[in-house]
Amino acid sequence: MPGFAAPPAHPSGATAPPIPPQFVPRHVAVVMDGNGRWANQRGLPRNEGHKAGEAALIEVMAGAIEMGIPYVSAYAFSTENWKRSLDEVTFLMNYTADVMERQLPTFQEWGIRIRWAGRKPRLWRSVIHRLEEAERATRDNDVVTLTMCVNYGGRAEIADAAAAMAADAKAGTLNPRSIDERTVQRYLDEPDLPDVDLFLRSSGEQRISNFLLWQSAYAELVFQDVLWPDVDRRTLWEAVEVYARRDRRYGGAVDRVAGPGASA
């Protein structure tokens, strides 16, 4: 990685498992779940769990770099999270902006490029400013791309794409009969973001929660029973090992005929 520093080694001395490159996911989507439960288990306010989760995100990015994973998308704030208490929403808005500023030196040092996916309406201008500032500052970094999904929802993204296509069709710049999956892709928040290979959720919950619905059509889902603040790069590596053992067929199938003397 010329020009960029490697992340410091894990304190335990653990190193990334030797997985052949063809079995390493290109794009990992991460649902950072369990912050509130982590805090409550310790008798702390929910916001303390969000604070503790910052280190977990940086650890996951270190693990992605060490494994050669080029894309990570993190679900930081969903379009549904506005339903939470005013105190928690206010904290998350301020904290997201602060994290982007506080971690910018690390992003630059490790070669992390920041992208932002999500809706501008309703999102605080201070958060938009910090996200866009991080995008500009890191646009030449090429080790790994971290897409921060803030005020993001998979259904909202698809609905916004449909509205934009309808507007272009009405204006005469898009032929409705020519619309296919590639057309829809061009209208998404980040058109060049590759499909998700590994969809990882912490906390033991087993749902995708409206995250990257279009991009995760053929993702391998891995749910881990660990709360997000307790996640580190080893958690990511364990998920990648599970992913590497999966048989990805993309809707295809091949008969596996038993040979002579083989058991059925």
Side-chain angles (χ1 to χ4, degrees), residues 8 16 44 56 72 109 111 118 120 133 136 174 176 182 188 195 204 208 210 220 243 249:
L44 301 171
V72 176
E109 182 181 3
K120 280 190 175 182
E133 188 176 63
R136 287 192 296 271
L174 177 66
R182 289 176 296 178
L188 297 178
D195 283 348
I208 59 177
N210 196 25
E220 295 296 328
Y243 166 87
R249 296 187 297 274

Coordinates of all heavy atoms in Angstrom, one line a residue, residues 8 16 44 56 72 109 111 118 120 133 136 174 176 182 188 195 204 208 210 220 243 249:
P8 N -2.3 -0.5 12.7 CA -1.5 -1.2 13.8 C -2.0 -2.6 14.0 O -3.2 -2.9 13.8 CB -1.6 -0.3 15.0 CG -2.9 0.5 14.8 CD -3.0 0.7 13.3
A16 N -5.0 -11.8 10.1 CA -6.1 -12.2 9.2 C -5.9 -13.6 8.8 O -4.8 -14.1 8.5 CB -6.2 -11.3 8.0
L44 N -25.7 2.0 31.8 CA -25.3 3.2 31.2 C -26.4 3.7 30.3 O -27.2 2.9 29.8 CB -24.0 3.1 30.4 CG -22.7 2.6 31.2 CD1 -21.6 2.3 30.2 CD2 -22.3 3.7 32.2
A56 N -15.2 0.2 17.4 CA -15.6 -1.0 16.6 C -15.5 -0.8 15.1 O -15.0 -1.6 14.4 CB -16.9 -1.6 17.1
V72 N -16.6 -1.3 2.1 CA -17.4 -1.5 3.4 C -18.5 -0.5 3.4 O -18.2 0.7 3.2 CB -16.5 -1.4 4.6 CG1 -17.4 -1.6 5.9 CG2 -15.4 -2.5 4.6
E109 N -4.5 8.4 6.8 CA -3.3 7.6 7.1 C -3.4 6.2 6.5 O -2.5 5.7 5.9 CB -3.0 7.5 8.6 CG -1.8 6.7 8.9 CD -1.5 6.6 10.4 OE1 -2.4 7.1 11.2 OE2 -0.5 6.1 10.8
G111 N -5.6 5.3 4.1 CA -6.0 5.3 2.7 C -7.5 4.9 2.5 O -7.9 4.3 1.5
G118 N -27.5 8.5 1.3 CA -28.6 8.9 2.2 C -29.3 10.1 1.6 O -28.9 10.7 0.6
K120 N -30.8 13.9 1.7 CA -30.5 15.2 2.3 C -31.6 15.8 3.1 O -31.4 16.4 4.2 CB -30.0 16.2 1.2 CG -28.6 16.0 0.8 CD -28.2 17.2 -0.1 CE -26.7 17.1 -0.5 NZ -26.2 18.2 -1.3
E133 N -17.4 17.1 3.5 CA -16.0 17.5 3.7 C -15.1 16.2 3.7 O -14.0 16.2 3.1 CB -15.9 18.2 5.0 CG -14.5 18.9 5.3 CD -14.6 19.7 6.6 OE1 -14.7 19.1 7.6 OE2 -14.4 20.9 6.5
R136 N -14.6 14.9 0.1 CA -13.6 15.7 -0.6 C -12.2 15.4 -0.2 O -11.3 15.3 -1.0 CB -13.9 17.2 -0.5 CG -15.2 17.7 -1.2 CD -15.2 19.2 -1.3 NE -15.4 19.8 0.1 CZ -16.5 20.0 0.7 NH1 -17.7 19.7 0.1 NH2 -16.6 20.5 1.9
L174 N -35.4 10.0 -21.0 CA -35.4 8.5 -20.7 C -36.5 7.8 -21.3 O -37.7 8.2 -21.1 CB -35.3 8.3 -19.2 CG -35.3 6.9 -18.7 CD1 -34.0 6.2 -19.1 CD2 -35.5 6.8 -17.2
P176 N -39.0 5.0 -21.3 CA -39.5 4.0 -20.3 C -39.3 2.6 -20.8 O -39.1 1.7 -20.0 CB -41.0 4.4 -20.2 CG -41.1 5.8 -20.6 CD -40.1 6.0 -21.6
R182 N -29.9 -2.3 -15.1 CA -28.8 -1.4 -15.3 C -29.2 0.1 -15.2 O -28.5 0.9 -14.6 CB -28.0 -1.6 -16.5 CG -27.2 -2.9 -16.6 CD -26.6 -3.2 -17.9 NE -27.6 -3.4 -19.0 CZ -27.3 -3.6 -20.2 NH1 -26.0 -3.6 -20.6 NH2 -28.2 -3.7 -21.1
L188 N -29.3 5.0 -8.5 CA -29.1 4.8 -7.0 C -28.2 5.9 -6.4 O -27.5 6.6 -7.1 CB -28.6 3.4 -6.8 CG -29.5 2.3 -7.2 CD1 -28.9 0.9 -6.9 CD2 -30.9 2.3 -6.5
D195 N -22.3 -4.7 -5.9 CA -23.3 -5.5 -5.1 C -22.6 -6.0 -3.8 O -21.4 -6.3 -3.8 CB -23.8 -6.7 -5.9 CG -24.8 -6.3 -7.0 OD1 -25.3 -5.2 -6.9 OD2 -25.1 -7.2 -7.8
G204 N -27.0 -10.4 17.2 CA -27.8 -11.6 17.2 C -29.1 -11.5 16.5 O -29.8 -12.5 16.3
I208 N -32.6 -7.7 7.9 CA -31.7 -6.8 7.2 C -32.1 -5.3 7.4 O -31.4 -4.4 7.0 CB -31.7 -7.1 5.7 CG1 -33.1 -7.1 5.1 CG2 -31.1 -8.5 5.5 CD1 -33.2 -7.4 3.6
N210 N -34.0 -3.0 6.1 CA -34.1 -2.0 5.1 C -32.8 -1.4 4.6 O -32.7 -0.3 4.2 CB -35.1 -0.8 5.5 CG -35.5 0.1 4.4 OD1 -35.6 -0.3 3.3 ND2 -35.9 1.3 4.8
E220 N -24.6 -12.9 0.9 CA -24.5 -13.9 1.9 C -24.7 -13.3 3.3 O -24.0 -12.3 3.7 CB -23.2 -14.7 1.9 CG -23.0 -15.5 0.6 CD -24.0 -16.6 0.4 OE1 -24.4 -17.2 1.4 OE2 -24.3 -16.9 -0.8
Y243 N -18.4 -16.8 5.2 CA -18.7 -16.4 3.8 C -17.9 -17.3 2.8 O -18.4 -17.8 1.8 CB -18.3 -15.0 3.6 CG -18.3 -14.5 2.1 CD1 -19.4 -14.1 1.5 CD2 -17.1 -14.5 1.4 CE1 -19.4 -13.7 0.1 CE2 -17.0 -14.1 0.1 CZ -18.2 -13.7 -0.5 OH -18.1 -13.4 -1.8
R249 N -24.4 -19.6 -5.8 CA -24.9 -20.0 -7.1 C -25.7 -19.0 -7.9 O -26.0 -19.2 -9.1 CB -25.8 -21.3 -6.9 CG -25.0 -22.5 -6.3 CD -25.8 -23.7 -6.3 NE -27.0 -23.6 -5.4 CZ -27.0 -23.8 -4.1 NH1 -25.9 -24.1 -3.5 NH2 -28.1 -23.6 -3.4

